[in-house]
């Protein structure tokens, strides 16, 4: 159980184009999904927290107009990198927390999306 | 001071040895503690999930939490080459899903 998928796994695009990444929880409903960015040999950097049916909460320094997040259902969140530039090239990973009551919940991660902007 | 401190390593051990990893933290509100394993170019995989102080064992893995010392550990017994990965500790306070991560510790198990 607790499987999270991401699509696409790898994308190469030209500078100036927009790229959409999908994150799906396959066998559970996720009230909250998270989007991270990871540079080589570094830990995960939280970009934003996405709650179903409401606006995402962005971390300081993350441009909300550049990284558009939509959490349309309890099993799907999307991240759109708008007008991508080479500096946006990175490994993007989503995670999801199951919808349960009380306490904090573990996050289950997707396999990641490698974005390369030429 | 970072919320979570983790020595990035790398840590090399011979096959069959015990791997010992640890993290320290500064936020006394943390109550949920996790260890993730991440292979190169993959998403992190949840290994252990513990609440408050104590030990938890799952197969070859043992997680320990000492809240009084703000110190958590992960032990891997009878290490295998397939255990070679980066191990991340993560933690959160009660009622908050947001995780604070360590930097990750790269482990290499040599056959």
């Amino acid at each position: 159980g607790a499987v999270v998928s991401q699509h696409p796994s790898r994308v190469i695009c030209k500078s100036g184009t927009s790229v959409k990444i999908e994150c799906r929880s396959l066998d559970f409903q996720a009230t909250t999904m998270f989007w991270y960015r990871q540079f080589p040999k570094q830990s995960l950097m939280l970009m934003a927290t996405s709650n179903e049916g409401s606006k995402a909460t962005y971390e300081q320094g993350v441009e909300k107009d550049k990284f558009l997040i939509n959490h349309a259902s309890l099993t799907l969140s999307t991240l759109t990198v708008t007008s991508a530039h080479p500096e946006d090239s990175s490994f993007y990973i989503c995670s999801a927390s199951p919808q349960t009551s009380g306490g904090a919940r573990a996050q289950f991660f997707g396999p990641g999306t490698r974005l390369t902007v030429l | 001071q970072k919320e979570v401190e983790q020595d990035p390593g790398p840590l090399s051990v011979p096959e069959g040895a015990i791997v010992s990893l640890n993290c320290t933290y500064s936020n006394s509100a943390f109550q949920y503690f996790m260890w993730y394993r991440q292979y190169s170019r993959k998403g992190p995989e949840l290994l252990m999930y513990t609440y408050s102080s104590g030990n938890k064992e799952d197969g070859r893995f043992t997680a320990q939490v000492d809240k009084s010392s703000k110190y958590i550990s992960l032990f891997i017994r009878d290490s295998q080459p397939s255990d070679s990965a980066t191990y991340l500790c993560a933690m959160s306070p009660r009622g908050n899903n947001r995780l604070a991560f360590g930097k990750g510790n790269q482990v290499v198990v040599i056959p």
Side-chain angles (χ1 to χ4, degrees), chain A residues 59-113:
Chain A
E59 294 301 299
Q60 193 172 10
V62 177
E63 298 176 57
K64 60 180 67 176
D65 293 331
K66 179 160 187 65
F67 298 99
L68 301 178
I69 291 172
N70 183 278
H71 193 155
S73 75
L74 286 172
T75 58
L76 173 64
S77 177
T78 60
L79 168 68
T80 301
V81 183
T82 62
S83 187
H85 289 96
E87 58 266 29
D88 298 323
S89 298
S90 190
F91 192 51
Y92 292 86
I93 313 175
C94 72
S95 71
S97 279
Q99 184 182 25
T100 59
S101 60
R105 280 88 66 180
Q107 293 180 23
F108 297 93
F109 287 84
T113 297

Side-chain angles (χ1 to χ4, degrees), chain A residues 38 43 59 103-104 107 109-111, chain B residues 32 36 38 43-44 49 97-98 102:
Chain A
Q38 187 176 36
S43 191
E59 294 301 299
Q107 293 180 23
F109 287 84
Chain B
Y32 295 86
Y36 288 88
Q38 186 176 23
Y49 176 74
N97 286 356
R98 190 175 158 173

Side-chain angles (χ1 to χ4, degrees), chain B residues 33-35 46-50 56-58 61-63 74:
Chain B
F33 304 91
M34 286 140 268
W35 285 94
L46 180 65
L47 277 180
M48 301 290 279
Y49 176 74
T50 55
K56 183 175 181 178
E57 190 173 313
D58 184 0
F61 299 91
T62 300
L74 177 71

Side-chain angles (χ1 to χ4, degrees), chain B residues 27-108:
Chain B
N27 188 346
S28 58
F30 287 147
Q31 296 214 16
Y32 295 86
F33 304 91
M34 286 140 268
W35 285 94
Y36 288 88
R37 176 175 63 195
Q38 186 176 23
Y39 292 111
S40 181
R41 298 174 182 266
K42 301 289 184 184
E45 170 194 8
L46 180 65
L47 277 180
M48 301 290 279
Y49 176 74
T50 55
Y51 170 69
S52 200
S53 285
N55 293 0
K56 183 175 181 178
E57 190 173 313
D58 184 0
R60 296 185 295 113
F61 299 91
T62 300
Q64 289 184 350
V65 175
D66 182 350
K67 289 191 68 181
S68 62
S69 302
K70 297 190 179 65
Y71 186 91
I72 69 170
S73 302
L74 177 71
F75 299 97
I76 308 174
R77 291 184 298 280
D78 186 25
S79 58
Q80 304 295 311
S82 58
D83 295 326
S84 298
T86 296
Y87 291 81
L88 298 130
C89 63
M91 48 199 80
S92 69
R94 182 174 178 82
N96 186 340
N97 286 356
R98 190 175 158 173
L99 294 179
F101 283 93
K103 280 191 174 181
N105 194 327
Q106 185 183 3
V107 172
V108 177

